[in-house]
Amino acid sequence: MNRFSSVCFVAAGLLVACSGFALSQEGAKQPLRLVQTIPLPNVKGRLDHMDVDVKGKRLFVAGLENGTFEVVDLRAGKWVRSIPGFKKAQGALFVAGLNKLFLASGDDGMVRVFRGDTLELLDSIHLEPGPNRVVYEPKAKLVYVGYGGKDAGKDYGEVGIIDAQTDKEVGDIKVVAHPSEILLDNDGKTLFVFVSVASKLQVIDTNKREVLSTWPVISERPGDAAFDESTSRLFIGTRTPAEMVAMDSKSGKEISHLPTPESMDGVYFDAARKRVYVSGGRDLQIGFAYAYQQNDADHYEMIGKVPTRAGAGTSFWSPELDRYYVAAPATDKEEAAILVYAPQD
């Protein structure tokens, strides 16, 4: 074999080896597969939180800077309409049992209630500036919404309590500052309130409507979070540094720290696969969704970094539909869209 042939042989071998390595890495690092892109026409600016009507196969998407909530028909795979009239559209909550859609907007301090099937406006609840995250407790039929803080010119935040049947505010709970995320346990007895500006987590007894514990979060600016009640683990996305923190929900002890996307803006737990998904990328040239495998309550490993799109920060996981949705804002080259991912086992 001459020198040229030897070089070609070695190069070919390396190419095959590298290709095989790349393929194996791709297989190992792609726990989410893009299966659909649904355009959101004429929607400008940042996109925020989402919720889903499982039976009706509709996704509701906050067009924060667009002043709208967008409605996507997931069965047909297309945008169907906008709901206008919001100032800083943020939290969305669909309650199938009551046929109601609760939509929160931060700058006007409003939670508006729409009939679920027709999207006819039923009621408007005026709180104070800052309504953001919204969660539902089905046993007591209560809606919890975080608001207040600097948005309302106050040095503390609040969690408002709304009777979901009458659409009336029935109470509020004072917290250290504006809530960035709120989570409920399955019994509806414990509310976890994450406060980004204070780098704290407050644990609330919903029966007493008072704070039981306040825990620091070592990595600063905790934002979105998820909860695995079966292992008593909270999964917290932080921004300084960008990490996914696993925390004991009973003691506040931090169990694990793993790197996560910059500009984190969505954390969800896939209970069937024991995975955590974290999305990020707002104001960045490329967004990512990171996936972590929960090997047991105390051990986690990153299993994939899935590129999404420029500026794509927020996400939503639907266990019922087995789909992961990432909201991608419009750019100079592409219109806004919902990226639909299917988990890969």
Side-chain angles (χ1 to χ4, degrees):
M1 183 181 293
N2 60 34
R3 184 172 181 273
F4 178 76
S5 299
S6 298
V7 170
C8 290
F9 180 78
V10 172
L14 286 172
L15 180 61
V16 171
C18 289
S19 298
F21 177 75
L23 288 172
S24 66
Q25 286 292 95
E26 181 180 2
K29 291 187 176 180
Q30 300 303 322
L32 296 166
R33 178 173 62 91
L34 182 65
V35 294
Q36 191 176 31
T37 299
I38 305 174
L40 300 177
N42 304 313
V43 178
K44 305 300 181 184
R46 175 182 158 194
L47 301 175
D48 210 38
H49 305 305
M50 295 174 268
D51 202 10
V52 69
D53 166 15
V54 173
K55 185 177 180 180
K57 300 288 195 301
R58 294 176 299 168
L59 185 72
F60 304 100
V61 186
L64 185 146
E65 295 175 310
N66 205 54
T68 60
F69 279 88
E70 305 300 319
V71 186
V72 175
D73 184 333
L74 296 173
R75 185 179 288 109
K78 66 178 183 180
W79 168 90
V80 289
R81 63 170 290 184
S82 288
I83 307 174
F86 298 88
K87 295 182 179 179
K88 196 178 181 182
Q90 292 197 283
L93 170 69
F94 185 81
V95 181
L98 298 177
N99 190 32
K100 288 182 177 181
L101 174 66
F102 295 82
L103 300 178
S105 48
D107 284 353
D108 56 7
M110 299 295 293
V111 176
R112 293 177 175 86
V113 188
F114 295 81
R115 178 167 164 156
D117 50 1
T118 64
L119 302 182
E120 169 194 0
L121 180 64
L122 298 176
D123 220 328
S124 297
I125 305 159
H126 188 266
L127 300 172
E128 288 184 345
N132 184 5
R133 282 294 200 177
V134 189
V135 298
Y136 181 59
E137 202 289 281
K139 295 177 182 177
K141 294 182 172 56
L142 295 176
V143 171
Y144 293 91
V145 53
Y147 65 97
K150 288 185 178 180
D151 290 354
K154 295 182 175 181
D155 60 0
Y156 61 90
E158 293 175 90
V159 176
I161 307 168
I162 296 169
D163 184 322
Q165 298 182 98
T166 65
D167 303 332
K168 303 299 182 184
E169 185 184 11
V170 294
D172 57 73
I173 306 165
K174 185 176 179 179
V175 292
V176 67
H178 182 274
S180 56
E181 173 71 287
I182 51 178
L183 299 175
L184 269 170
D185 67 355
N186 290 332
D187 289 334
K189 295 179 180 179
T190 303
L191 187 70
F192 299 97
V193 179
F194 300 82
V195 183
S196 181
V197 296
S199 297
K200 291 179 180 178
L201 163 59
Q202 296 197 288
V203 184
I204 290 173
D205 181 321
T206 58
N207 290 325
K208 296 180 179 179
R209 297 183 178 179
E210 63 182 36
V211 175
L212 297 179
S213 304
T214 298
W215 299 330
V217 181
I218 295 174
S219 297
E220 296 179 352
R221 298 185 63 210
D224 295 47
F227 186 30
D228 174 19
E229 196 161 352
S230 69
T231 60
S232 301
R233 291 295 177 264
L234 292 162
F235 308 111
I236 308 167
T238 65
R239 297 189 174 98
T240 311
E243 290 189 325
M244 191 283 285
V245 180
M247 174 184 283
D248 187 320
S249 65
K250 295 180 179 179
S251 68
K253 178 183 177 182
E254 296 185 13
I255 305 298
S256 181
H257 290 245
L258 286 87
T260 213
E262 296 291 335
S263 300
M264 176 282 311
D265 211 7
V267 180
Y268 291 91
F269 182 63
D270 178 351
R273 298 174 179 84
K274 296 293 183 181
R275 290 179 185 169
V276 182
Y277 304 125
V278 181
S279 62
R282 190 198 310 168
D283 300 325
L284 300 180
Q285 292 301 309
I286 184 68
F288 282 92
Y290 282 24
Y292 310 86
Q293 188 66 49
Q294 182 189 62
N295 296 320
D296 58 47
D298 295 341
H299 298 91
Y300 302 83
E301 62 176 324
M302 186 187 299
I303 59 171
K305 300 179 183 179
V306 180
T308 56
R309 253 179 48 175
T314 52
S315 58
F316 179 79
W317 163 247
S318 172
E320 299 89 353
L321 300 179
D322 201 35
R323 288 293 182 268
Y324 184 63
Y325 303 96
V326 175
T331 66
D332 293 339
K333 298 179 180 179
E334 297 176 291
E335 63 184 344
I338 298 299
L339 311 181
V340 185
Y341 291 87
Q344 303 299 292
D345 294 321

